[in-house]
Every structure is written in C-alpha cells, then in structure tokens.
Amino acid sequence: DVKVTQSSRYLVKRTGEKVFLECVQDMDHENMFWYRQDPGLGLRLIYFSYDVKMKEKGDIPEGYSVSREKKERFSLILESASTNQTSMYLCAASGATLSNTGELFFGEGSRLTVL
Amino acid sequence: QKEVEQNSGPLSVPEGAIASLNCTYSDRGSQSFFWYRQYSGKSPELIMFIYSNGDKEDGRFTAQLNKASQYVSLLIRDSQPSDSATYLCAVEGGSYIPTFGRGTSLIVHP
C-alpha cells in the first residue's frame, strides 16, 4: 500500500528557530508537494517538486524553502519560524504526469505551533 | 488565478438521505476533477475522480461533471453518520498540480 510518512506529528518551536519538516514516500512517485491547511482557508500549496533537485514555488512560498536530494524525500524548511506559520503541514505525493493525472497521497500531517 | 469554490457548510442531512455537494471552478481548461474526504484530525483521501462530462458512480457515491457550466458535484446516497467529514473538491488543468477548494463540511445526523 502507498505510504507517505511525515517525520513529526506535533512540533512546538520558538519564533526565530529553524524548522525542518521531513517527508518520505515509498511509491517511487516523481511529484511531491507541501501544503499548509488552516481553518477556513483550505489547502494552500507552498512548494512542489517534480524531480530530484527540482522545485517550483506554489501559491504561498514566502518564508519557506524546500530540498529534494533524493526521489523519496522532500523536506520543508522554515528558516526563521514566525507565529503566522503556526499551521497543519501536509506532504503529498503523486505519480501524475502531463499526460496522466493521478491522485495525491497525503501524509498524516505535521501540526506546527510557533510560540 | 485558478479558483475552486465550495460552500463551506455545514451541510446537515438526516441518515439515509442524499447529500449533495457542489463545486465550481474558474479555469475552462480544467481536465481532471477529484473529490477528497477528510475526517477531523486526519489527512485527505481520494474517494472519486472524474474526467468526462456526465455521471460516474462508485457504490453510494456519484460524481457529476458539467464542463459547460464549470461545476462538479458529489452525491452521497443513503448517507451514514460515518460520512460526516469535510469534502474537498480538487481541479487539475493538465499541469498535474491540483487546485483545492476550501471544502464543505457534511454532518449526517441519526
């Protein structure tokens, strides 16, 4: 069965700290995504990657960066956490291509609180 | 900016009734349409997808697509309390990057 694993379910960090959120998939999918989900705002795309070392900005990339050194791993980095980055972060993977759409498989989510 | 609109709800229906969830989208070039279900505290999971105009049925679920009117809907027949969740509509325009609506909260009461 398809699996996307996020390293931490709950994190509490202080303002200004550097935060790493890790995501690993076992499906050999090319595409990986980072979303944040906030009440009333739905899922918003932060960054996505369609190949190793490739990354594209989503709708809300400010304050975030990503790293994809291996196909199975996609990391989200908050260089200097701020309180407005308190949110649920969801990683997803898909095997979609331009000629073949596909579903997103989500990890369980990482709930980040920045104090 | 591609937009996907859903009524946030909550939509409340009695057990055994038909729940109708609607979604409209702005990009006429959209090609693929997905419905995800998200239980409280859990991640979204795919329940239906549709590519062609018309209806697609899977068990108690029916997805309906009307590209001319730019809407897609999800019908849940014989609604059960276990169907209570938030339903997310997602639309893809050929770039394999879906745009999500904000979701509709469904409550099925006994």
Side-chain angles (χ1 to χ4, degrees):
Chain A
D1 203 10
V2 165
K3 198 154 180 80
V4 178
T5 303
Q6 295 184 230
S7 55
S8 305
R9 292 295 307 277
Y10 302 95
L11 304 95
V12 179
K13 298 292 182 180
R14 296 203 175 275
T15 301
E17 280 193 79
K18 191 168 187 175
V19 182
F20 291 89
L21 300 179
E22 305 284 343
C23 176
V24 178
Q25 53 115 348
D26 66 357
M27 300 166 287
D28 201 34
H29 281 343
E30 288 76 17
N31 311 311
M32 297 189 74
F33 306 79
W34 275 106
Y35 290 90
R36 63 177 283 178
Q37 186 172 35
D38 301 286
L41 296 179
L43 282 166
R44 293 182 291 168
L45 182 62
I46 304 171
Y47 267 97
F48 65 95
S49 169
Y50 53 90
D51 201 352
V52 175
K53 296 191 183 296
M54 305 302 288
K55 59 186 179 185
E56 295 287 343
K57 294 180 180 179
D59 299 320
I60 52 164
E62 297 78 17
Y64 303 94
S65 63
V66 290
S67 172
R68 191 158 180 209
E69 296 297 317
K70 294 184 178 181
K71 188 175 186 179
E72 67 270 20
R73 188 180 297 270
F74 192 35
S75 303
L76 181 69
I77 303 153
L78 288 67
E79 293 288 344
S80 178
S82 63
T83 55
N84 62 13
Q85 293 178 309
T86 292
S87 186
M88 171 67 83
Y89 290 88
L90 288 166
C91 176
S94 87
T97 65
L98 290 176
S99 59
N100 177 33
T101 59
E103 70 175 286
L104 291 183
F105 296 92
F106 286 88
E108 292 188 318
S110 298
R111 183 165 294 281
L112 172 67
T113 301
V114 182
L115 302 176
Chain B
Q1 178 100 6
K2 300 175 183 177
E3 294 187 348
V4 177
E5 300 287 342
Q6 296 181 257
N7 189 324
S8 62
L11 174 65
S12 183
V13 300
E15 184 174 357
I18 296 175
S20 178
L21 305 161
N22 299 311
C23 171
T24 60
Y25 58 94
S26 63
D27 183 8
R28 284 199 169 271
S30 299
Q31 299 174 9
S32 305
F33 307 84
F34 303 85
W35 283 100
Y36 288 81
R37 178 178 60 201
Q38 186 175 24
Y39 292 115
S40 180
K42 300 293 187 181
S43 298
E45 57 179 347
L46 183 71
I47 53 172
M48 289 285 289
F49 63 88
I50 187 167
Y51 303 141
S52 304
N53 273 330
D55 295 1
K56 179 182 178 182
E57 188 174 317
D58 184 1
R60 295 186 297 113
F61 298 95
T62 299
Q64 299 176 317
L65 175 60
N66 184 323
K67 289 187 177 181
S69 301
Q70 295 176 244
Y71 83 78
V72 56
S73 62
L74 178 70
L75 301 179
I76 306 174
R77 290 183 300 280
D78 188 25
S79 295
Q80 301 297 309
S82 59
D83 294 326
S84 298
T86 295
Y87 290 80
L88 302 170
C89 173
V91 175
E92 219 175 89
S95 66
Y96 63 78
I97 302 164
T99 299
F100 283 85
R102 297 185 181 187
T104 298
S105 174
L106 173 66
I107 299 171
V108 181
H109 53 86

